[in-house]
Amino acid sequence: MAIQFELYKTPHPKDEENKETYHARVVNFQHIDTDYLAKEIQMATSLTEGDVKSVLESLSHFMGYRLREGESVHLDGIGYFQVKLNSQEPITSPKLKANQMKLKANICFKADAKLKRSVSVVHVERSKLRNHSASLSNEKIDKLLTNYFNDKPMLTRIDFQRLCGFTSTTAARHIKRLKEEKKLNNIHTYYNPIYVPMPGYYGKGEIIKEDDSLEKM
């Protein structure tokens, strides 16, 4: 199989907006999970699928323990894993306290030469499915959401993605913006969010305080 790619417009500073350039991204439509890998490894070895999954789960557990200790972890044929630190504020003095440090969101990974060689010869082709996000202004998004909430009480990220024709990344970015602008509120969990309009947006009326209503009478 070939690696499918698509071209995306490269964002530029405002003084260079007239310089239109593009960059290629891999278009990944298939997600390979632990169960899938366990079945493939089981077919290639004498291990059972359950054995493979148990080893992978233990590997994650013990790697996490060693990384928390500040050690790097090297898996032969795969690569090196290591955490990186970041300060909560710009460092202006060498007298930095430990409580000013925090863990970066991502664990750094450097691939082994063997892993690099295994993907060094690839075939690429232009994707037949153009997975670009629609180009919508914030005002247009607000109109779409107003119409959506006319007959639906709640919104998920998938709903928003389909409503606006966005990719998952673009949908997540706009939802974050709408939350920061106090237009949407998550009423469920962090990992399984469900959004509703904040008062005053998308057809939901403002909350009128009792004393305010009395003054208007």
Side-chain angles (χ1 to χ4, degrees):
M1 292 180 61
I3 294 178
Q4 296 190 359
F5 72 94
E6 189 48 74
L7 297 178
Y8 292 80
K9 186 180 293 186
T10 303
H12 291 286
K14 291 184 178 181
D15 57 344
E16 298 181 6
E17 286 183 347
N18 59 331
K19 298 179 181 179
E20 192 170 277
T21 59
Y22 295 81
H23 61 278
R25 293 186 199 169
V26 174
V27 181
N28 185 5
F29 296 107
Q30 187 174 5
H31 175 73
I32 303 301
D33 59 15
T34 302
D35 289 340
Y36 188 96
L37 287 175
K39 289 178 181 178
E40 287 200 322
I41 294 173
Q42 180 264 325
M43 293 174 63
T45 66
S46 60
L47 298 172
T48 67
E49 185 178 336
D51 290 337
V52 176
K53 292 178 68 174
S54 178
V55 169
L56 292 175
E57 290 172 0
S58 296
L59 178 63
S60 174
H61 172 77
F62 288 105
M63 280 183 63
Y65 173 78
R66 292 300 175 185
L67 291 171
R68 288 198 305 271
E69 294 294 309
E71 300 170 345
S72 65
V73 177
H74 177 222
L75 300 181
D76 290 340
I78 296 179
Y80 293 84
F81 298 82
Q82 187 174 14
V83 297
K84 294 291 184 180
L85 294 177
N86 193 13
S87 64
Q88 298 185 26
E89 299 177 356
I91 300 175
T92 58
S93 170
K95 298 179 181 179
L96 186 69
K97 296 181 180 179
N99 61 8
Q100 293 178 271
M101 301 303 297
K102 64 179 179 179
L103 184 67
K104 277 192 174 181
N106 294 323
I107 295 172
C108 295
F109 170 70
K110 181 180 180 182
D112 258 4
K114 183 178 180 180
L115 182 60
K116 290 180 180 179
R117 286 195 298 270
S118 68
V119 295
S120 61
V121 180
V122 298
H123 300 285
V124 296
E125 64 181 24
R126 188 73 176 268
S127 171
K128 297 180 177 62
L129 298 174
R130 304 302 167 88
N131 197 29
H132 287 280
S133 284
S135 179
L136 298 178
S137 66
N138 293 349
E139 291 76 15
K140 178 62 176 177
I141 293 172
D142 284 341
K143 289 181 180 179
L144 289 172
L145 287 172
T146 299
N147 291 333
Y148 176 90
F149 283 116
N150 276 338
D151 55 3
K152 295 181 179 65
M154 296 177 294
L155 175 84
T156 66
R157 196 265 302 162
I158 294 295
D159 294 332
F160 183 68
Q161 186 176 334
R162 292 171 179 168
L163 177 69
C164 298
F166 288 154
T167 62
S168 59
T169 302
T170 303
R173 186 175 71 249
H174 277 285
I175 287 176
K176 180 181 178 182
R177 173 183 62 81
L178 292 169
K179 287 171 59 183
E180 291 173 348
E181 293 175 357
K182 307 298 183 182
K183 293 181 177 180
L184 288 180
N185 181 39
N186 177 20
I187 61 171
H188 207 242
T189 64
Y190 176 83
Y191 293 102
N192 188 26
I194 297 176
Y195 304 99
V196 296
M198 292 288 282
Y201 293 100
Y202 311 132
K204 184 171 183 178
E206 292 276 8
I207 297 177
I208 300 177
K209 297 180 180 179
E210 187 176 351
D211 55 347
D212 291 341
S213 62
L214 292 173
E215 290 178 2
K216 295 178 180 178
M217 293 179 62

